[in-house]
Amino acid sequence: MGEPAKRRATYEELLAVPEPLVAEIIHGVLITHPRPGAPHARAASRLGIDVGGPFDRGKGGPGGWVILDEPELHRHGDVLVPDLAGWRRERMPEIPSAAAFELPPDWACEVLSPSTAAVDRADKLPIFARERVAHVWLVDPLLFTLEVCRLDGETYRTVATWRGDAIVRAEPFDAEELELSALWAR
């Protein structure tokens, strides 16, 4: 006799999670983790500024994107909260007024923490692939690395990994240089 079917977590359970925790539903399971530490928050904040200026606001760059911090993505029963996500304006010309987004982003970024790295890589990356998110960045503020993944069929292929103080052009934002040293809490 097989294992009994597990009950899927509900959105109401996610909403009941206490405020200081971040909550997601991944493959039907409610996952919680504490708010990120300073290195994580610094990397995500700086990256949002560095990518958002030229690509979202068009300030000194090409524009054409909507970049958001921690959007709540609802797709096929999963509720994901990437650290950053971006949509090409031609796909999302108007930002919805709802708190949650059903349109998958064109780019997602996960800033890795010791408590979230395994979930980000093993659980969320396949969901992003299923939803056809073209690019995912994995930023590790403790190892000082940026890993750029491009959707290649059903899975991601790592197209570049940089570390330290490199100045890079990372797709899909390769029209502008990104100084990695600005991301690290030093």
Side-chain angles (χ1 to χ4, degrees):
M1 197 159 152
E3 226 178 272
K6 293 183 180 177
R7 187 182 66 78
R8 294 181 65 83
T10 66
Y11 190 63
E12 289 72 29
E13 291 170 313
L14 181 140
L15 292 174
V17 170
E19 186 63 38
L21 296 175
V22 176
E24 298 175 294
I25 298 174
I26 301 174
H27 303 299
V29 177
L30 181 65
I31 306 286
T32 63
H33 52 87
R35 298 295 309 164
H40 181 288
R42 173 76 162 185
S45 296
R46 283 290 181 91
L47 189 57
I49 292 166
D50 289 352
V51 170
F55 292 95
D56 186 316
R57 296 183 58 210
K59 188 174 182 178
W65 286 80
V66 173
I67 307 290
L68 298 173
D69 294 335
E70 297 185 345
E72 188 173 295
L73 308 174
H74 290 221
R75 294 293 296 171
H76 299 102
D78 292 307
V79 178
L80 304 183
V81 182
D83 292 296
L84 294 160
W87 291 260
R88 293 183 185 276
R89 284 200 189 271
E90 63 261 17
R91 287 191 57 240
M92 190 168 74
E94 299 286 327
I95 298 174
S97 59
F101 294 83
E102 294 185 11
L103 180 66
D106 296 292
W107 167 78
C109 177
E110 294 292 354
V111 179
L112 306 176
S113 298
S115 64
T116 65
V119 169
D120 290 341
R121 287 183 178 279
D123 298 323
K124 292 172 79 171
L125 217 55
I127 294 170
F128 289 140
R130 177 193 74 201
E131 298 303 326
R132 312 301 299 158
V133 177
H135 289 90
V136 175
W137 288 8
L138 301 171
V139 175
D140 192 323
L142 301 179
L143 296 177
F144 309 120
T145 59
L146 166 62
E147 182 178 347
V148 175
C149 304
R150 181 191 317 134
L151 191 61
D152 186 11
E154 300 298 315
T155 60
Y156 287 101
R157 179 169 58 93
T158 300
V159 294
T161 303
W162 294 283
R163 64 185 175 99
D165 296 340
I167 297 173
V168 305
R169 289 185 180 268
E171 56 182 76
F173 303 112
D174 48 350
E176 297 290 322
E177 289 184 337
L178 175 66
E179 296 178 36
L180 293 188
S181 63
L183 305 182
W184 319 134
R186 296 182 184 173

